[in-house]
Amino acid sequence: MMENLSYILLLILQLFTVFAYSYSPNPRSGHLSAFINNKLYFISGSTTLDRAVISNDFFYIDCSMNFNSSIDSIPYTSLSYLNGIPSIDVAGSSVVGPYNDIILTFGGSSGGNYDYQLIYTFDTKNSTWNTLTTYGILPPIRKGVRPVFSYGRLYAFGGFNNFNGAYYNSLDMLDTRFNWSNITLSNAPPGRDGYVSALLLDGNILYLGGYVSEQTVGLDIVYLYDTNNNLWQNMSTAGTTPESRGYFTSVLTVLDLSSNPFTWISQEVSGNFIPPHLLLHTANVVHNYMILAYGFNYQTSLLSNDIYLLDISNDSEYKWVEEFKLNQNQNLNRIQSQNSSLTMSLGVFIGSIIAAVVSTASLIYGISAFYKWYKVNDASNKFVATPGT
C-alpha cells in the first residue's frame, strides 16, 4: 500500500510541476534579476520597443535542477499573482538582509514617468513585496543605477534622468536606520548611468563603464570608492581593454582583480550557442554558469525572451552551451532535498487519510510544521564585465 501511495503522490507532484513550468515570459529589456537560494528571479522591465509598456511580471527559474535553454524547457514559475509587485524599467537591484535573502530595487522609470517610490523590497522567505520608507536627504529618483549593499549600508552612485537630462555623480548612502546621506567628493567620477558595480573583498566598490553625456565610457579606467575611509580613487587597467560600452552587452573578457593593476584577460570561448549582441539584458553567475537573459537583440532589432548559458567551470576555456547541468555534489544535495520533501509530503498525505478516518468518531486537531533553511554564497576574485554580476 505504501508503494501505491508513493506512486500516487509522485504522479500528483509531477502534474503540479508540469502546470508550474508551463509559464513563458514575454520578450523584455530593462528588467531586474537576482539569484537567491537556487532561484533566479526576474522583475518587471519593458515589453515594448518604445518603452511605453512597463510590466509588473515577477517570476523565477528553478536552478536546483538540470534544464535545457530552449524556451519550452526552462523551469519557470510565475509569481505575478503576488500583491505589490513594482512596475519599473531600467531600475537597479541588490540582494540585501542579514541572510542575503531580500531583493531590493532602486529607482527606475515607470511608463514614461519616474516612479514616486524609491525603494521596493521582496522578502523571499515569506514571499511579500513591500515599499520602504526612508528618511534624511532623499536621493533623486533616476534610472541606470547599480546599488551595492555592504555591511548593512546601501550605496547608490550616479544615474540619469532623461526628463531633465541630468547625469548624477553623487553617491547616496542608506544606513541601517533607513536614513539617507549624500556623499559628494571633489574627485568623484563623472556622472553616469548603465555602468557596472561590484563590492570587492577589501571594502572597495568598483565602478566600470557606462554612459556619460550619452557617450559610452572606456573600460581602461576603474573607479574605486573606499567605504572604510570615504575616498575615491581611480586605477588604469592593464591588458587588452574591451571596447567602451554601457548597459553592457555580453563581454567575453575577464578583469582579474587579484593583480595590481587590475588586468583584462582575453578568455578562450567556444561553443555553438553564442548569443547575439544584447542591450539591457541581465547576467548572473549561477553555480558553474553565467546566465544571460532577454534584452534588446541588435541583430533582429526586437526584444528577446531567450536565455544563454556560458559554462565557466573551466578557467582555461569558457563554453556557450545549451544545457544547464548540476555537478555531482549539487545533484546529490538536490536529491537529498527532494527525498526529504517527499518524505514530509508522504507523511502529511498519510496523516490526512488517517485523520479523515478517525474524525468520524472524534475531533482531530491538526498540527502545522514550518521549515526554514539558508545558504551562504562564496566570493570570487574575478569579475566578468556583464550586468547583473
Side-chain angles (χ1 to χ4, degrees):
M1 180 178 176
M2 182 68 70
E3 291 181 355
N4 291 335
L5 288 174
S6 299
Y7 176 78
I8 293 171
L9 183 59
L10 281 172
L11 181 60
I12 292 173
L13 292 176
Q14 288 173 352
L15 287 173
F16 284 162
T17 300
V18 169
F19 286 121
Y21 297 154
S22 62
Y23 175 79
S24 294
N26 292 323
R28 69 194 58 237
S29 67
H31 53 283
L32 300 174
S33 64
F35 179 63
I36 300 176
N37 290 338
N38 273 327
K39 295 178 180 179
L40 180 55
Y41 293 92
F42 296 96
I43 308 163
S44 296
S46 176
T47 54
T48 58
L49 289 172
D50 60 4
R51 319 210 71 76
V53 178
I54 311 301
S55 81
N56 63 345
D57 297 335
F58 184 41
F59 53 94
Y60 68 84
I61 296 176
D62 186 349
C63 297
S64 67
M65 62 177 66
N66 301 336
F67 61 85
N68 185 287
S69 61
S70 61
I71 188 68
D72 296 328
S73 302
I74 302 171
Y76 282 116
T77 297
S78 174
L79 299 176
S80 297
Y81 60 86
L82 296 174
N83 294 323
I85 301 172
S87 179
I88 47 179
D89 183 35
V90 199
S93 66
S94 183
V95 175
V96 301
Y99 301 103
N100 289 326
D101 55 6
I102 295 174
I103 302 172
L104 178 147
T105 75
F106 177 92
S109 60
S110 179
N113 298 303
Y114 281 87
D115 194 3
Y116 67 90
Q117 178 62 40
L118 185 65
I119 291 179
Y120 295 89
T121 61
F122 177 71
D123 190 328
T124 60
K125 291 188 299 183
N126 55 31
S127 296
T128 55
W129 279 99
N130 293 287
T131 57
L132 183 65
T133 301
T134 58
Y135 310 93
I137 305 173
L138 298 180
I141 298 178
R142 66 268 198 189
K143 70 174 186 178
V145 177
R146 297 286 186 261
V148 173
F149 183 72
S150 173
Y151 295 101
R153 295 179 175 180
L154 184 77
Y155 296 87
F157 169 73
F160 175 67
N161 186 315
N162 56 347
F163 286 105
N164 59 21
Y167 282 92
Y168 300 93
N169 78 327
S170 61
L171 181 65
D172 297 293
M173 190 269 291
L174 182 67
D175 64 22
T176 56
R177 295 184 178 182
F178 306 132
N179 284 308
W180 285 104
S181 58
N182 181 263
I183 302 171
T184 303
L185 300 175
S186 59
N187 61 338
R192 66 190 61 205
D193 69 324
Y195 57 82
V196 168
S197 61
L199 177 66
L200 307 185
L201 296 178
D202 59 5
N204 282 307
I205 302 175
L206 176 150
Y207 295 94
L208 181 68
Y211 278 92
V212 175
S213 299
E214 300 184 358
Q215 298 293 322
T216 55
V217 179
L219 305 185
D220 56 333
I221 297 180
V222 171
Y223 292 92
L224 299 169
Y225 174 71
D226 186 340
T227 60
N228 299 314
N229 299 302
N230 190 29
L231 295 172
W232 278 106
Q233 60 177 321
N234 59 62
M235 175 191 296
S236 296
T237 61
T240 303
T241 306
E243 64 183 12
S244 62
R245 64 196 67 218
Y247 293 106
F248 287 19
T249 53
S250 58
V251 178
L252 305 184
T253 312
V254 173
L255 183 62
D256 185 357
L257 304 179
S258 63
S259 62
N260 189 7
F262 298 157
T263 302
W264 288 105
I265 302 172
S266 296
Q267 187 72 39
E268 292 293 329
V269 180
S270 62
N272 299 321
F273 302 92
I274 301 173
H277 291 295
L278 299 170
L279 178 70
L280 291 170
H281 59 294
T282 53
N284 297 80
V285 174
V286 178
H287 302 312
N288 292 327
Y289 298 86
M290 178 172 288
I291 301 180
L292 272 66
Y294 324 133
F296 175 78
N297 184 329
Y298 274 112
Q299 294 178 5
T300 63
S301 296
L302 297 173
L303 300 181
S304 171
N305 62 351
D306 294 322
I307 71 167
Y308 300 91
L309 303 171
L310 182 64
D311 186 339
I312 57 175
S313 59
N314 183 358
D315 284 341
S316 62
E317 182 181 23
Y318 293 170
K319 186 175 183 179
W320 291 107
V321 297
E322 186 180 19
E323 292 186 283
F324 179 93
K325 295 180 180 179
L326 301 176
N327 62 35
Q328 186 174 0
N329 291 334
Q330 292 164 342
N331 258 318
L332 180 60
N333 292 336
R334 176 178 63 88
I335 293 171
Q336 290 174 342
S337 177
Q338 286 180 341
N339 287 342
S340 175
S341 298
L342 179 59
T343 300
M344 290 187 291
S345 299
L346 185 59
V348 172
F349 184 69
I350 295 173
S352 298
I353 295 175
I354 295 174
V357 173
V358 175
S359 64
T360 58
S362 62
L363 179 64
I364 301 298
Y365 294 92
I367 303 175
S368 299
F370 297 86
Y371 300 87
K372 299 180 180 178
W373 63 92
Y374 305 94
K375 292 187 177 181
V376 178
N377 295 323
D378 294 330
S380 171
N381 66 348
K382 288 188 177 180
F383 174 74
V384 180
T386 53
T389 58

